[in-house]
Amino acid sequence: MNWFINTLSSSIGKKLMMAVTGLGFVGFLTVHLIGNLTLYGGQGLFTSYVEHLHALGLLITVAELGLLLFAVIHIVIGTLLFYQNLIARPVRYKVKKNAGGRTIGSETQPYTGFIILAFIIIHLLNFHFAEHTNETLFRLVFTKLASPLYMITYIVAMIVVAVHVSHGFWSLFQTLGANHPKYMPIIQKLGIAVSLLFGVGFGFIPIFISLIA
Amino acid sequence: MRQGSKTINIILKVWRQKGPKEKGRLETIPVKDVSTDMSFLEMLDVVNERLTLEGKEPIEFDNDCREGICGMCGAVVNGIAHGPEKGMTLCQLHMRKFLDGDTIVVEPWRSRAFPIVKDLIVDRSALDKIIQAGGFISMATGGAPDANAIPIAQEIAEKAMDAAACIGCGACVAACPNASAMLFVGAKISQLALLPQGKPEAAERALSMLGKMDDLGFGNCSNERECEAVCPKEIKITNIARFNREFIKASFG
Ligand code: HEM
Ligand code: FES
């Protein structure tokens, strides 16, 4: 057990946890996005998707607990890393420039993370913990997302997710040790594609809803 | 003066700090008639000569070879470690890269692991401590072994050589938004782990060098790539990925 604690508490160990949980979230968001596309098919298709999903029963509970565990790890370790990295440079530079490595995504990684956390709480309160049945979920989604405040919140949140993933995606492969000139350019392009897909895919849903509402 | 050379006037804003515990500040020093043929350090020499003649304390800065191979020099110039030129140490940077009237801000490497000694000099012995923790191979001494007794593929030798180009200047730490030493340690781990002589101790080395690095107060790598961008020897972050692999192998293998 000792080696396990030592491994995970080292700097690379903490990064590995960020990478594995981050990859888990990318997987989750992909499945979530595919599911949400049924919204475009109207109430019937969406409700049938929700019913099928909920019919999985125990499997869904296990997946939810897994996601919760991943979220706790990603948030706790991410916050710890953010703090440790801040105190690693007690006196800051008066003048500091980007030498060409940083991107908007990498520079804002912790901040976009905290915004996503705030959004996840709002999102779960809106739809997960709100009073609803399989049948009324469609209506709930429509009334919530049609309101301008929620629409803007959701769109902004999805842009923030896209920015977080634009760095996170390739970064997690680097953390896992997978970086080679042969395939890293492909991973980096894939990262941009995935973050665009998340941003546009999720972000267009509230726009679509307010258009047809 | 050689044909083609000219002089510029600059305004230096340089970090002055009397000692490790003292409070530092940026001092503004206007410098007239700087030959653009001078290196950055020669410019500082000239400034120091003038300061000394005026009875003032010269600016302390580290340097030795002045040809980009020893790793002693270094400062953050206008926000970039070793100044604006890619793949270049501060001693190799020339004043022709600056324009007449430029304000040039010069600050020491900043990291909790590199305490300031005086002005632009920082204590980089933390990097030596990481090397002492595992940046070596153990072998029986005796007669010199035959050259080329152990075949090494050209590609591997090149990769090891690229990693071994690290001069340990600490610019990676200075440039890293998290003051992490992962590029330095990644290079040192790689140069040994790639070669047959380094393999027997590879696992132990990865763990002990990482442990030391973490203890010394460096930050954690966030893959920001600023280290790679400023490295005077253009060491690649693929070496950090290799370090991560070596760590995974050592921990879970
Ligand atoms: C949609 C949900 C999220 C996804 C898909 C996601 C994905 C990722 C990925 C792939 C990484 C890169 C890991 C690596 O470089 O090895 C990462 C890093 C990070 N994430 Fe998230 N994340 C999400 C939510 C959050 C939340 C809620 C926080 C809140 C604290 C957060 C904070 C961070 C931080 C601070 C890092 C940087 C760690 C470091 O490199 O030092 N993330 N994330
Ligand atoms: S003085 Fe030796 S590298 Fe600059």
Side-chain angles (χ1 to χ4, degrees), chain B residues 41 63-73 89-91 167:
Chain B
L41 299 189
N63 69 106
D64 191 5
C65 71
R66 297 210 176 185
E67 54 182 13
I69 55 170
C70 76
M72 275 306 280
C73 65
T89 55
L90 189 61
C91 59
I167 53 177

Side-chain angles (χ1 to χ4, degrees), chain A residues 21 24-25 28-29 61-73:
Chain A
T21 51
F25 293 152
F28 164 71
L29 287 185
T61 314
V62 172
E64 278 177 351
L65 288 178
L67 266 180
L68 182 64
L69 177 71
F70 268 37
V72 170
I73 294 175

Side-chain angles (χ1 to χ4, degrees), chain A residues 3 10-11 15 81 84-85 88-89 91 93-95 97-99 101-102 106 167 170-171 174-175 177 188, chain B residues 78-79 86 107-108 110 112 173-174 176 178 210 214 220-226 237 244-245 247 251:
Chain A
W3 72 269
S10 69
S11 58
K15 281 289 299 180
L81 287 170
Q84 288 180 334
N85 293 342
R89 178 166 290 131
V91 183
Y93 292 104
K94 299 271 183 232
V95 179
K97 276 204 206 99
N98 187 334
R102 298 189 100 175
S106 74
H167 176 67
W170 85 266
S171 173
Q174 162 80 6
T175 302
Q188 281 170 337
Chain B
N78 285 343
K86 284 249 178 263
E107 294 177 82
R110 294 208 184 276
R112 180 171 55 163
V173 178
C176 175
N178 311 329
L210 177 69
D214 288 351
N220 309 278
C221 176
S222 291
N223 303 325
E224 299 261 19
R225 292 176 293 189
E226 285 292 293
I237 60 162
N244 292 339
R245 288 201 293 280
F247 174 78
S251 302

Side-chain angles (χ1 to χ4, degrees), chain A residues 14-29 71 74-79 81-82 85 108-118 120 161 164-165 167-176 198, chain B residues 178 220-223:
Chain A
K14 280 180 277 204
K15 281 289 299 180
L16 288 175
M17 288 192 275
M18 292 307 284
V20 170
T21 51
L23 183 61
F25 293 152
V26 171
F28 164 71
L29 287 185
H74 197 84
I75 293 162
V76 170
I77 304 296
T79 310
L81 287 170
F82 177 60
N85 293 342
T108 57
Q109 187 93 331
Y111 312 108
T112 49
F114 292 127
I115 296 173
I116 295 170
L117 176 60
I120 292 174
V161 168
H164 194 80
V165 175
H167 176 67
F169 192 84
W170 85 266
S171 173
L172 82 90
F173 286 93
Q174 162 80 6
T175 302
L176 294 173
F198 285 169
Chain B
N178 311 329
N220 309 278
C221 176
S222 291
N223 303 325

Side-chain angles (χ1 to χ4, degrees), chain A:
Chain A
M1 235 10 232
N2 205 13
W3 72 269
F4 193 67
I5 303 282
N6 284 345
T7 300
L8 293 188
S9 58
S10 69
S11 58
I12 300 182
K14 280 180 277 204
K15 281 289 299 180
L16 288 175
M17 288 192 275
M18 292 307 284
V20 170
T21 51
L23 183 61
F25 293 152
V26 171
F28 164 71
L29 287 185
T30 308
V31 176
H32 193 12
L33 180 59
I34 294 171
N36 282 2
L37 291 182
T38 57
L39 272 168
Y40 295 111
Q43 180 155 18
L45 190 62
F46 181 72
T47 306
S48 117
Y49 157 64
V50 172
E51 275 166 359
H52 278 96
L53 193 66
H54 290 175
L56 295 174
L58 191 64
L59 221 57
I60 283 295
T61 314
V62 172
E64 278 177 351
L65 288 178
L67 266 180
L68 182 64
L69 177 71
F70 268 37
V72 170
I73 294 175
H74 197 84
I75 293 162
V76 170
I77 304 296
T79 310
L80 183 65
L81 287 170
F82 177 60
Y83 171 73
Q84 288 180 334
N85 293 342
L86 265 187
I87 61 168
R89 178 166 290 131
V91 183
R92 314 207 71 84
Y93 292 104
K94 299 271 183 232
V95 179
K96 189 74 177 79
K97 276 204 206 99
N98 187 334
R102 298 189 100 175
T103 58
I104 298 169
S106 74
E107 206 163 329
T108 57
Q109 187 93 331
Y111 312 108
T112 49
F114 292 127
I115 296 173
I116 295 170
L117 176 60
F119 169 74
I120 292 174
I121 294 171
I122 297 174
H123 182 52
L124 289 179
L125 288 177
N126 280 350
F127 298 130
H128 187 82
F129 296 111
E131 193 76 30
H132 70 276
T133 64
N134 286 348
E135 289 67 36
T136 57
L137 188 58
F138 185 79
R139 281 259 62 87
L140 184 64
V141 169
F142 259 68
T143 40
K144 266 274 160 10
L145 291 188
S147 101
L149 183 66
Y150 278 107
M151 181 176 103
I152 306 258
T153 308
Y154 271 70
I155 293 172
V156 169
M158 288 312 113
I159 293 171
V160 170
V161 168
V163 173
H164 194 80
V165 175
S166 73
H167 176 67
F169 192 84
W170 85 266
S171 173
L172 82 90
F173 286 93
Q174 162 80 6
T175 302
L176 294 173
N179 181 352
H180 193 283
K182 262 192 301 204
Y183 53 74
M184 191 35 108
I186 302 170
I187 292 180
Q188 281 170 337
K189 287 198 189 82
L190 199 64
I192 298 301
V194 167
S195 48
L196 279 177
L197 220 60
F198 285 169
V200 176
F202 284 114
F204 196 71
I205 290 172
I207 298 178
F208 169 74
I209 284 176
S210 62
L211 282 181
I212 65 163

